[in-house]
Amino acid sequence: MHLGLDSSTQSLKGIIIDPVTGTVVHQSTVNFATALADYPAAFSPSGDPLEKHSDPRLWLAALDLLCRRMADAGAPLAQVKGIGGSGQQHGSVYLTAEATAILAGLDPAGCLIDQLTPAFSRATSPIWMDSSTTAQCAELTAAIGPRLQTDTGSPAIERFTGAQIRKFARQDPAAYAATDRIHLVSSFMASVLTGTHAPIDSGDGAGMNLLNLHTLGWDAEICAATASGLLEKLPSVAANGAIAGKLSPYFIKYGFSPDTRVAVWTGDNPASLVGTGAARPGLAVVSLGTSDTFFAVLSPYRTDPDGCGHVFGNPAGGFMCLTCFKNGSLARERVRDLTGVDWPFFDVTAFEQTPAGNSNQLALPWFEAEITPPVLTPGLRANFDFDAAPPAVKIRAVIEAQMLSMRVHSHWIGDFKAIRVTGGASRSTGILQTLANVFQARVETIAVQDSAALGAAMIAAHAVSGHDFDSLASAFAPALDTVDPDPTTVPAYQSALAAYLELERTAR
Ligand code: XUL
């Protein structure tokens, strides 16, 4: 059996798979808002609304709680041979030199938070929702030039770890100097599980603006330009399929075997690529989670000429290209709250009551500063009187704009005949049909909604027990349901696409 963990923005999820029988044997979740509300998941320490940090103790509390819940639910933890994991991308964790000994000596009689709190050199962790580093991005662009994008896969990006580290080093030089190791959320969680500093993989490492995609190692010149002494503070970079280490004896108390091995963790999107069965070229994936992302394997990779998209490592080898939208499910929740409807109305009825592709009713749900396209002044923008419109019109106007934006900003990745869809909103038939129509592509769902946790379990099965990714994908991620595009909507969406582009141009 292999356990996959996904430490995401709003929850920690665990899935146990048995690759021999091809079955998912256990699933558990810790929802941060309901179970761990004492530790904020996304807040601004300085009050700047563009700043978004998490309390890293949240992830420690969640790990203890999830293990306890899995044990209490009778999950077969003693049979788990390998643990894999994924983390929300770009978020960073800052540790002192004492962290090394603390990690190595975790005492099962205590809990993770109490023992690891003294290990942090920075009390908060900037996460992917942070857009507060425009000045640092400009400085990095000036220092490195176009090579930053061609060699790291992305131009300087606000939420990427390099700009975040530069801001911290300038704002709090003493705390930066006291920082011995900077982890991503993924490598931090793997470090806690193994009791040693775990490496970073190229899937998640490429989201830092520090990894050279040609060498798959840290780019010394870019690291030096980002912050002094940075290279010495970074964990090593691991090759695909690498093992981070044996499970720390701390976790035996939950019923794990002392022989359990931990695979190197990756980012949630690279893990989802594996978990949706899209780690080979041909299929695109749309992940409708806290963020909405569009990604696919691209070999050889190319970078986004508009500078919005990214190249990350593919845990199954090679690279993936991705575009990320910040106003994903949180925006859909905002619209549902402000219309006062229930989810069945939002997911189905709203689409039955309104025509597809109305170019005079589009609404950009930029409740938060947007990543794609980059917009720093939040606020909804519509090309009609949004406030006066009935709920069904409001809902379709937002979903149409989300899907049209995805079409426009994923164009650089390619045209796809089939799109795999995952994440919470993939239950919505209205959203699935809109996606199929806007892209004129077949939309496929898979059985497991938490594709990052599933992908993490598959990565563990590959790294620890040698299962190959193709058989894992056929066993765990076959297409379940298919939604075909409606060809009669093509003219309407052609006009809607032009109207969307005009709205985006005038609204920014
Ligand atoms: C990807 C990104 C988000 C986070 C969300 O670049 O910023 O999708 O990974 O967890």
Side-chain angles (χ1 to χ4, degrees):
M1 309 244 178
H2 296 81
L3 165 65
L5 299 171
D6 175 40
S7 178
S8 75
T9 322
Q10 301 191 79
S11 61
L12 176 67
K13 302 190 183 95
I15 290 189
I16 299 177
I17 60 168
D18 180 348
V20 176
T21 57
T23 46
V24 172
V25 294
H26 180 84
Q27 295 194 50
S28 281
T29 299
V30 169
N31 182 291
F32 298 160
T34 50
L36 296 167
D38 287 350
Y39 305 100
F43 71 106
S44 167
S46 74
D48 171 3
L50 295 179
E51 204 172 58
K52 286 280 186 289
H53 290 208
S54 273
D55 183 335
R57 295 176 305 164
L58 170 65
W59 305 318
L60 297 173
L63 187 54
D64 266 334
L65 183 57
L66 186 76
C67 289
R68 171 55 47 223
R69 283 189 181 172
M70 290 192 297
D72 290 350
L77 300 182
Q79 294 173 58
V80 169
K81 283 182 70 182
I83 302 178
S86 66
Q88 54 169 306
Q89 296 200 248
H90 320 295
S92 42
V93 181
Y94 300 74
L95 300 176
T96 64
E98 287 73 53
T100 309
I102 296 176
L103 283 168
L106 287 175
D107 176 1
C111 66
L112 291 175
I113 284 199
D114 289 350
Q115 297 180 70
L116 279 159
T117 297
F120 295 114
S121 57
R122 187 181 194 184
T124 64
S125 286
I127 60 162
W128 67 275
M129 298 170 92
D130 191 293
S131 306
S132 71
T133 62
T134 306
Q136 290 74 24
C137 288
E139 291 159 8
L140 289 172
T141 307
I144 307 295
R147 182 175 94 72
L148 194 61
Q149 183 178 18
T150 47
D151 288 350
T152 72
S154 306
I157 298 282
E158 277 84 353
R159 69 191 190 285
F160 276 37
T161 326
Q164 295 293 338
I165 293 171
R166 183 177 177 85
K167 181 178 166 191
F168 175 56
R170 292 291 163 89
Q171 270 185 351
D172 196 345
Y176 178 72
T179 300
D180 176 66
R181 208 63 59 96
I182 302 175
H183 278 288
L184 290 177
V185 176
S186 59
S187 63
F188 172 65
M189 296 296 278
S191 300
V192 174
L193 284 172
T194 54
T196 58
H197 287 293
I200 288 179
D201 91 314
S202 64
D204 215 12
M208 302 173 81
N209 272 146
L210 299 172
L211 185 84
N212 189 308
L213 297 181
H214 305 289
T215 63
L216 291 183
W218 301 125
D219 189 300
E221 186 205 347
I222 298 175
C223 288
T226 299
S228 69
L230 174 56
L231 198 55
E232 292 74 50
K233 297 182 197 285
L234 294 175
S236 59
V237 182
N240 278 334
I243 302 290
K246 260 174 102 169
L247 185 64
S248 156
Y250 173 87
F251 292 93
I252 310 305
K253 66 181 177 184
Y254 294 115
F256 287 103
S257 148
D259 298 326
T260 310
R261 294 201 294 160
V262 179
V264 171
W265 281 41
T266 188
D268 53 0
N269 292 294
S272 257
L273 184 80
V274 172
T276 52
R280 301 265 174 261
L283 268 180
V285 180
V286 165
S287 169
L288 300 168
T290 309
S291 63
D292 285 349
T293 51
F294 183 105
F295 50 86
V297 165
L298 209 56
S299 172
Y301 72 80
R302 56 176 166 265
T303 53
D304 179 4
D306 290 340
C308 290
H310 318 297
V311 182
F312 299 144
N314 169 1
F319 297 94
M320 62 186 280
C321 294
L322 172 142
T323 301
C324 176
F325 305 85
K326 197 195 288 184
N327 288 285
S329 72
L330 294 180
R332 287 184 285 274
E333 278 159 29
R334 285 281 278 271
V335 175
R336 194 203 62 129
D337 290 348
L338 67 88
T339 51
V341 302
D342 56 16
W343 282 116
F345 184 93
F346 189 98
D347 291 340
V348 183
T349 319
F351 294 87
E352 291 165 353
Q353 291 184 354
T354 49
N358 185 341
S359 47
N360 297 318
Q361 286 177 346
L362 295 172
L364 302 165
W366 295 339
F367 295 107
E368 295 283 340
E370 183 47 67
I371 292 171
T372 309
V375 176
L376 291 180
T377 316
L380 184 129
R381 277 85 150 170
N383 64 1
F384 66 105
D385 186 353
F386 186 84
D387 292 335
V393 170
K394 286 191 172 104
I395 292 162
R396 188 186 270 278
V398 161
I399 300 301
E400 300 262 13
Q402 284 185 324
M403 300 303 133
L404 287 164
S405 179
M406 204 173 260
R407 162 106 192 256
V408 167
H409 297 290
S410 66
H411 188 67
W412 67 282
I413 301 177
D415 282 324
F416 294 86
K417 296 264 171 299
I419 300 175
R420 285 271 163 102
V421 66
T422 174
S426 61
R427 67 172 184 278
S428 159
T429 51
I431 294 180
L432 295 184
Q433 189 64 60
T434 307
L435 181 67
N437 291 348
V438 166
F439 280 84
Q440 284 296 306
R442 191 174 73 243
V443 167
E444 299 173 348
T445 56
I446 54 165
V448 176
Q449 258 182 19
D450 303 330
S451 56
L454 175 63
M458 288 160 68
I459 290 169
H462 172 75
V464 173
S465 302
H467 292 277
D468 74 88
F469 282 119
D470 289 334
S471 347
L472 289 166
S474 344
F476 292 102
L480 188 70
D481 284 323
T482 297
V483 178
D484 289 316
D486 174 358
T488 66
T489 61
V490 169
Y493 279 112
Q494 262 161 7
S495 311
L497 195 66
Y500 170 83
L501 286 169
E502 181 58 14
L503 179 61
E504 186 186 289
R505 192 183 63 76
T506 49
R508 282 171 72 185

